[in-house]
């Protein structure tokens, strides 16, 4: 999202569209930028759920611990994090590629850990990632990998129907 640097007009356009939509869950793959602005935006609609992980703009360590939020409809997770929503396993990570699925590993940590928390023990149904700012939908074997881009450049939110697992770019109006 890069709320600290993205044009306010684009931020408002997206969140107004999201508030009006019947979409219940928003997944944010890091680089929130302005934590307080994000809490305000999430607080506009208590009927929406926000799943958020940190990116490098939100802290330098990898893996990263969750960002602290007070807004009740924000679920703050570590980077990376695996969540299950409606029976769908969603891996949210700031940076990803199909190589991580091939290797079943999330990459090299920046700190020494007593255990390898980066190994993928379960294959997710969906991988949601950011970092590159390049919108894309990739299908690798039975996994759908999505990136919505960034409000700083090319932003194309991805809508995934959890009943069919169909993924498409949204038209934000």
């Amino acid at each position: 999202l890069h709320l600290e640097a993205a044009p306010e007009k684009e931020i408002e356009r997206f969140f107004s569209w999201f508030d009006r939509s019947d979409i219940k869950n928003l997944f944010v793959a890091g680089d929130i930028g302005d934590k307080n602005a994000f809490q305000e935006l999430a607080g506009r609609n208590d009927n929406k759920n926000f799943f958020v992980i940190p990116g490098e703009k939100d802290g330098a360590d990898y893996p990263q611990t969750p960002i602290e939020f007070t807004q009740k409809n924000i679920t703050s997770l570590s980077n990376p994090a695996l969540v299950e929503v409606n029976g769908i396993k969603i891996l949210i990570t700031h940076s990803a590629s199909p190589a991580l699925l091939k290797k079943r590993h999330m990459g090299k940590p920046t700190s020494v850990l007593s255990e390898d928390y980066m190994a993928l023990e379960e294959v997710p149904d969906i991988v949601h990632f950011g970092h590159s700012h390049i919108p894309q939908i990739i299908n690798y074997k039975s996994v759908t990998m999505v990136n919505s881009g960034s409000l700083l450049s090319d932003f194309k939110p991805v809508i995934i129907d959890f009943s069919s697992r169909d993924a498409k770019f949204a038209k934000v109006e």
Side-chain angles (χ1 to χ4, degrees), residues 1-166:
L1 291 176
H2 290 276
L3 296 177
E4 82 289 359
E8 283 188 39
K9 180 180 172 186
E10 292 303 310
I11 295 168
E12 183 55 36
R13 191 176 124 206
F14 170 69
F15 278 94
S16 291
W17 169 83
F18 180 66
D19 290 344
R20 292 188 314 271
S21 77
D22 61 353
I23 300 166
K24 293 183 180 184
N25 301 305
L26 179 70
F27 297 85
V28 180
D31 286 351
I32 293 150
D34 186 337
K35 175 181 148 178
N36 294 327
F38 184 73
Q39 284 194 131
E40 283 182 34
L41 292 162
R44 294 183 352 180
N45 194 333
D46 289 341
N47 297 323
K48 306 281 187 174
N49 303 310
F50 297 82
F51 296 87
V52 181
I53 66 163
E56 79 271 358
K57 294 288 182 190
D58 308 309
D61 290 337
Y62 184 72
Q64 291 166 289
T65 57
I67 301 167
E68 289 187 33
F69 291 103
T70 56
Q71 194 65 37
K72 300 226 184 292
N73 60 339
I74 299 174
T75 302
S76 188
L77 304 160
S78 62
N79 174 26
L82 183 68
V83 294
E84 189 169 327
V85 178
N86 297 341
I88 303 288
K89 292 178 187 156
I90 304 155
L91 175 64
I92 310 168
T93 182
H94 185 62
S95 183
S97 72
L100 75 88
L101 293 172
K102 291 176 187 176
K103 294 177 183 177
R104 305 274 312 249
H105 202 271
M106 296 300 301
K108 186 176 177 181
T110 58
S111 55
V112 177
L113 305 170
S114 59
E115 202 175 314
D116 188 359
Y117 295 102
M118 306 305 283
L120 278 175
E121 295 177 8
E122 297 181 58
V123 176
D125 299 303
I126 297 166
V127 177
H128 174 53
F129 65 103
H131 187 63
S132 70
H133 298 194
I134 301 169
Q136 53 189 311
I137 299 171
I138 303 165
N139 289 303
Y140 175 73
K141 296 193 177 185
S142 64
V143 180
T144 302
M145 299 181 71
V146 299
N147 184 333
S148 295
S150 169
L151 285 168
L152 290 177
S153 54
D154 193 8
F155 186 58
K156 295 180 183 173
V158 178
I159 298 175
I160 300 174
D161 181 337
F162 284 179
S163 62
S164 65
R165 289 195 34 209
D166 288 337

